[in-house]
Amino acid sequence: MSDATNIVEVRDVSKHYGDFAALSDVRFTIEPGSIVGLIGPNGAGKTTTLKAILGLTDFDGEMTVLGRDPRKGRHKVMERVCFIADVGVLPRWLRVSDALDYIEGVHPKFNRAKAEAMLADTKISSRHKVKQLSKGMVTQLHLALVMAIEVDLLVLDEPTLGLDILYRKSFYENLLNDYFDHETSIVISTHQVEEIESLLTHLLFINQGRIVLDCAMDELDQVYSEVLVSPEQLSSATALNPIHSRDMLGQKAMIFENVPRGELAELGELHTPSVADLFVAKMQRQREAS
């Protein structure tokens, strides 16, 4: 039975393309007011997972999105969900003002003032046509149109692809400060892990169609630790079976899983690994295991 309080419930979901398993027994939940990072290498199953949530692909298993099965009630689900893909396609002949008029006319939850405020921070004029805009500006316009729709779940698949670092930083600041209201849930899939780490409340790693990490950000330090180990402590540290090790300034930076911090503190400088470093560690660990 699904928990009606969760925005998304995924239970043993699998997806096959012929003999290829894009997803295998995937399980996770998305709670209201959470910002979830869905992180994985190319071909790991990220986009398939997002398509399943959006009702864009069939699958085996059970899933509810806002209390509905997205395979059967997609039109109702999408009244309360917005999706920003890695490629925003808009007609080249379309004028910006006409795009605003159109979205305002078809979507009752579109906040035109919010869209215009976002566009005011760009070089995009309401008189511009899409064909006059650079690739980055088209992405900015697409983001402004979609993020001005007030929904319960916002799904972002590489939302800042093609944007320069200044606008990416501005986008994520606006996402956290102006858009996120602790009621809307957000799922972000991106390769730019360092740029979203400070936003996230929950972390999902996916690889080869399986969830390999499912953890709240405020609980990471209870499970994972990184220690900068000096050469004289190397054998003691290695005996505790780190999941990853790399050279750093003549020492070893080792990541441990479920090892008491009291034991690790004696080995060297101790802290919580970054999401990027933890991702590398988990991916390498899975490759070695397989």
Side-chain angles (χ1 to χ4, degrees), residues 152-172:
D152 297 298
L153 176 63
L154 177 64
V155 178
L156 307 174
D157 187 5
E158 295 288 355
T160 58
L161 194 68
L163 299 181
D164 63 54
I165 190 170
L166 293 176
Y167 192 82
R168 294 202 307 268
K169 182 174 176 60
S170 174
F171 168 76
Y172 286 121

Side-chain angles (χ1 to χ4, degrees), residues 178-215:
D178 299 333
Y179 184 86
F180 183 60
D181 59 4
H182 299 284
E183 294 181 4
T184 298
S185 295
I186 303 174
V187 181
I188 308 174
S189 177
T190 180
H191 291 292
Q192 295 159 342
V193 180
E194 296 89 345
E195 295 184 3
I196 67 168
E197 180 170 355
S198 62
L199 280 68
L200 302 179
T201 65
H202 204 94
L203 193 59
L204 292 171
F205 288 169
I206 187 170
N207 193 31
Q208 298 177 1
R210 297 182 182 275
I211 299 296
V212 297
L213 183 143
D214 182 346
C215 188

